[in-house]
Amino acid sequence: VLWSFLRFWGFRLERAGGDLRITAGLLTRTSATIPRRRIQVIAVHESVLRRLMDRCSVRVKTAGGAADQHDRAGASWFAPILPRARLPALLEAVRPGLDPESVSWRPLTTRARNRMIRRGLLTGCLLWLILGVTVRQWWAAAAGAPLPLLLAWMEYRAWRAARFSVEAASVRVRTGALDRRTLTTFDDRMQVITVRRSPLDLLKRIASVRVDAAGAGLPDRAIE
């Protein structure tokens, strides 16, 4: 709490022409300028506590790498916390026309769900086997028995929470059942689009798609 108080004292995020300027700090005053044209990815973070308080935080990823001062500032505290109702205005200032309320989210397919659940079951069985072999006690086997079902349930929850959208010259990905993150990049910022298919993916007619924007990658998600 003390660290946040000292670091974010007098926090201001202002628009200066085509740039966004951040100023904050009590003992050490820090100022950073983020050119809007260099913003590659916008990340909105909504944890459980933030959602209960109707709050969120926003980070940005800019071209040029994390060595730049403005890149570190945007990744760490572009908007440390703000009311959810003020998010549309902030996104409009970063990228005109970027309205979070008008997104047509698409869920992952049932084939992706089945693959994720199988992955959880297999991982849980492997961990259960390792636990039983290393400990060699009945209580270890009993304690590890729920692992496959627990990991499968977690994968199912991740599948239900995952969404994606490809519209309005942007690509958006939402992940996290509890710790929700929404990542957005744009058609004119994409550098590499990678499609990966394992032999099992070919059989199930699914694929993993990854979008990279100047080194700021969006998470892989199985999309039919």
Side-chain angles (χ1 to χ4, degrees), residues 16-36:
D19 301 334
L20 298 170
R21 184 175 300 155
I22 297 173
T23 306
L26 180 59
L27 300 180
T28 302
R29 196 70 173 170
T30 302
S31 297
T33 300
I34 303 176
R36 287 195 298 170

Side-chain angles (χ1 to χ4, degrees), residues 52-142:
L52 290 175
M53 299 174 62
D54 199 23
R55 298 289 189 272
C56 64
S57 63
V58 180
R59 300 182 180 188
V60 298
K61 177 71 177 181
T62 60
D68 295 347
Q69 180 186 16
H70 62 74
D71 191 87
R72 291 198 304 270
S76 300
W77 36 277
F78 181 75
I81 188 167
L82 76 158
R84 187 65 172 72
R86 296 181 60 183
L87 180 62
L90 176 62
L91 296 182
E92 178 70 22
V94 175
R95 182 88 175 192
L98 191 63
D99 185 3
E101 306 300 334
S102 62
V103 183
S104 298
W105 291 108
R106 298 171 59 187
L108 302 188
T109 65
T110 55
R111 293 169 182 163
R113 177 200 63 192
N114 296 339
R115 187 181 74 167
M116 294 170 70
I117 291 176
R118 284 195 300 268
R119 180 176 59 192
L121 287 172
L122 291 175
T123 303
C125 290
L126 180 60
L127 293 176
W128 187 19
L129 178 62
I130 293 174
L131 183 63
V133 170
T134 54
V135 179
R136 296 183 180 180
Q137 296 289 339
W138 67 268
W139 58 263

